Amino acid sequence: MGRDVSQGAFSREDRVRYRHKVRRCLDVFALMLDDFGFDADRPMTGLEIELNLVDSAAEPAMRNEEILADIADPLFQTELGQFNLELNAEPRLIEGTGFANYEHDLRSSLSRADERAAKSDARIVLVGILPTLTEGHLVEDNLSTNERYRVLNDQIVGARGEDIELDIRGVEGLRTHTDSIAPEAACTSLQFHLQVAPDSFADYWNASQAIAGVQVAIGANSPFLYGRQLWAETRIALFEQATDTRPDELKAQGVRPRVWFGERWITSIFDLFEENVRYFPPLLPICEDEDPVEVLHAGGVPQLGELRLHNGTVYRWNRPVYDIMNGRPHLRVENRVLPAGPTVVDMLANAAFYFGLARGLAEADRPIWSQLTFSSAEENFHAAARRGLDAVLHWPGVGDVPVTKLVLEQLLPIAASGLDGFGVAPAERDRLLSIIEQRCRTGRNGAVWQTETVWAAERHRGMDRDAALHHMVQRYAELQRSNEPVHTWPVD
């Protein structure tokens, strides 16, 4: 969905032609999986970070276009809301000091962007949901000016045929309606990309699904929306609801949502692409000129543009990716479950935990997905989003277990072994995984720090909720720049 879209209205003929092209692409993809040289010799990794822009008063700054022009760096792009940007790190190997290189480059890029943003009276905040956002900020007029966002909005709202309901019940409750997808812009995430070979893709995707709940519990950083404390990772519920194309009747019939955990373990990446084509009508039926069959028969590498575009409008929490780099096709797992922030080093600790744990479980002698039901994995995911570090998850061999105990006693050693398999330097492995360990021991991640700081401001400083949230965001932004991990941040 990173491509530009200029077409605003689609005819019946557009949709029929697009459906035909998508199925043609799917057939070609099946042939490629059987007999094609995918690039998988040295698996690359990638990171995408969605950013918030705030002004000096900690209010969202609707200035991404002018700030992006000032940054003038192709690694930065617009995102859905005018207060959002996205940073795409250069892909790289994580062997040796790969994580340290990520850290240096990300900090340098963010520092330069912050300097440019300051010219527009703005600064960058890395957080899952900006706590000072209100319903008045998340309206259609504040979508980014790129036409693709307007078209996507029209297609999702048009498919639903009525306002989108937001109903999130947590520590406090929120129930409201929106006439656009603008609330989705509140969801700023951290996305990991892991290149894998075709014959091992299913193992890595299944492993990623199995640990999604653990990731969310450890990395939760989105407790507030519209001034209310909801879930530890409210972003999960908000994203699921803000892009839901189904009215209540289709939900009752069991029609699948476009933000989807899935419903089964897989045996091939083809399972996921085929499900996307079978279950989801196109949102953006835009056809390319390429005939993928002709390209394949001529010995070329098909772009499969329609299949890739369709895949980009089905928002799986672990998404399959087909891409081409330097003329060679490759496959990636795109892990989309985590929020941005709180610091660069916190995000890289999350990355090390994910990459290591996914590899450790994917290459285990007895697959975790042969012991854990898929429904249990999904229940873990939502339980973790609700309760964060206080979540109790179901895990094979131990039953129901506090997530912190599970991580400390079982999963951290597996993650360490997985990072060894990638060739990560032991010092880097231990430095980053120790941050995950300390979050579990102190009981503090981004969500906990945010809620404790707001609580302290309300009770000890006599602030109302709105003032406490603004105070907290100001303090968060200061501490974020220290790059000290969030479990060490003072609550004051």
Side-chain angles (χ1 to χ4, degrees):
M1 264 307 297
R3 58 182 293 172
D4 288 337
V5 175
S6 59
Q7 186 170 349
F10 301 103
S11 67
R12 297 177 184 177
E13 291 76 14
D14 290 332
R15 296 183 182 280
V16 170
R17 181 167 177 258
Y18 182 81
R19 180 174 282 110
H20 173 75
K21 284 291 299 287
V22 167
R23 294 187 179 280
R24 193 168 178 85
C25 287
L26 188 65
D27 291 342
V28 168
F29 185 55
L31 294 173
M32 294 177 70
L33 289 173
D34 287 339
D35 187 23
F36 209 92
F38 284 85
D39 187 6
D41 299 334
R42 303 184 74 199
M44 302 286 281
T45 66
L47 275 71
E48 297 177 52
I49 310 169
E50 295 169 353
L51 318 170
N52 290 279
L53 298 168
V54 301
D55 63 19
S56 57
E59 290 281 304
M62 306 296 176
R63 299 166 201 154
N64 67 353
E65 191 169 14
E66 64 183 84
I67 292 170
L68 195 63
D70 233 1
I71 294 173
D73 183 340
L75 296 179
F76 287 86
Q77 300 176 4
T78 57
E79 251 299 328
L80 182 60
Q82 291 183 31
F83 61 94
N84 299 142
L85 291 175
E86 181 177 273
L87 170 58
N88 294 282
E90 292 280 2
R92 69 198 67 199
L93 301 169
I94 55 173
E95 66 184 21
T97 58
F99 282 113
N101 295 335
Y102 262 134
E103 186 170 0
H104 176 270
D105 289 354
L106 288 172
R107 293 191 70 190
S108 296
S109 293
L110 289 168
S111 178
R112 286 196 305 272
D114 231 2
E115 290 174 6
R116 304 300 193 277
K119 296 179 181 179
S120 300
D121 186 31
R123 55 181 169 171
I124 290 170
V125 174
L126 305 167
V127 65
I129 293 176
L130 182 62
T132 53
L133 283 167
T134 66
E135 291 188 69
H137 294 128
L138 296 175
V139 295
E140 186 175 352
D141 285 348
N142 287 335
L143 295 178
S144 290
T145 57
N146 190 310
E147 187 62 23
R148 75 172 182 261
Y149 301 122
R150 308 282 172 171
V151 174
L152 184 63
N153 176 73
D154 292 346
Q155 294 301 304
I156 289 178
V157 174
R160 185 179 175 90
E162 58 189 48
D163 282 358
I164 296 169
E165 182 180 28
L166 302 179
D167 186 1
I168 306 174
R169 303 172 193 184
V171 177
E172 298 167 348
L174 172 68
R175 187 167 188 179
T176 187
H177 290 79
T178 175
D179 61 0
S180 76
I181 63 169
E184 182 196 339
C187 304
T188 38
S189 65
L190 168 65
Q191 298 163 21
F192 303 135
H193 291 255
L194 179 58
Q195 184 180 334
V196 294
D199 59 359
S200 61
F201 182 94
D203 293 343
Y204 276 87
W205 187 85
N206 288 342
S208 297
Q209 291 287 99
I211 63 175
V214 177
Q215 284 183 269
V216 168
I218 300 302
N221 194 30
S222 312
F224 293 102
L225 176 64
Y226 295 168
R228 294 175 176 87
Q229 182 183 346
L230 301 171
W231 293 9
E233 190 48 42
T234 305
R235 192 183 112 267
I236 300 299
L238 178 59
F239 191 51
E240 288 177 342
Q241 294 180 24
T243 55
D244 199 341
T245 58
R246 307 167 302 161
D248 290 343
E249 293 80 5
L250 293 185
K251 294 178 188 177
Q253 292 173 34
V255 172
R256 294 157 180 85
R258 292 196 92 97
V259 178
W260 196 30
F261 190 80
E263 60 192 17
R264 63 187 176 108
W265 306 118
I266 64 168
T267 58
S268 167
I269 187 175
F270 185 81
D271 295 348
L272 302 178
F273 280 101
E274 191 274 335
E275 283 180 349
N276 288 353
V277 173
R278 179 154 45 103
Y279 294 144
F280 299 100
L283 284 180
L284 301 171
I286 301 167
C287 290
E288 306 285 353
D289 293 333
E290 175 190 80
D291 184 333
V293 174
E294 290 183 2
V295 173
L296 186 65
H297 287 168
V301 179
Q303 295 289 324
L304 306 182
E306 293 82 6
L307 187 65
R308 292 163 72 186
L309 177 59
H310 186 60
N311 185 56
T313 63
V314 179
Y315 304 102
R316 293 178 182 270
W317 291 109
N318 283 291
R319 177 188 275 166
V321 176
Y322 166 86
D323 207 350
I324 300 169
M325 182 72 70
N326 300 322
R328 291 193 66 187
H330 69 262
L331 305 176
R332 303 195 303 267
V333 177
E334 181 185 7
N335 178 256
R336 303 159 48 84
V337 306
L338 285 175
T343 64
V344 169
V345 75
D346 278 307
M347 293 188 293
L348 289 174
N350 291 338
F353 186 58
Y354 167 69
F355 289 136
L357 189 55
R359 179 164 184 157
L361 293 176
E363 298 184 357
D365 292 335
R366 186 180 178 193
I368 188 68
W369 52 97
S370 71
Q371 308 167 63
L372 181 71
T373 66
F374 195 90
S375 61
S376 291
E378 184 172 14
E379 289 166 7
N380 284 346
F381 179 64
H382 286 100
R386 287 186 178 92
R387 298 190 53 80
L389 286 171
D390 291 330
V392 173
L393 307 185
H394 184 79
W395 199 255
V398 292
D400 294 338
V401 58
V403 67
T404 51
K405 178 180 174 71
L406 175 64
V407 170
L408 290 171
E409 295 184 1
Q410 294 199 35
L411 300 186
L412 277 173
I414 297 173
S417 176
L419 292 176
D420 290 342
F422 280 113
V424 174
E428 283 297 284
R429 175 200 67 201
D430 295 344
R431 177 177 75 99
L432 294 174
L433 291 185
S434 71
I435 293 172
I436 304 298
E437 177 186 359
Q438 288 305 310
R439 278 191 218 154
C440 293
R441 294 197 185 282
T442 61
R444 178 171 294 168
N445 57 14
V448 172
W449 184 88
Q450 287 189 52
T451 55
E452 287 183 348
T453 301
V454 167
W455 184 89
E458 289 176 335
R459 285 157 181 76
H460 303 318
R461 295 173 181 260
M463 295 181 179
D464 63 17
R465 174 61 59 84
D466 183 64
L469 288 170
H470 282 77
H471 163 76
M472 182 267 284
V473 172
Q474 297 277 27
R475 189 72 176 120
Y476 183 105
E478 294 168 6
L479 292 167
Q480 175 187 287
R481 279 152 184 76
S482 72
N483 201 39
E484 294 296 325
V486 71
H487 72 267
T488 68
W489 288 9
V491 173
D492 52 29

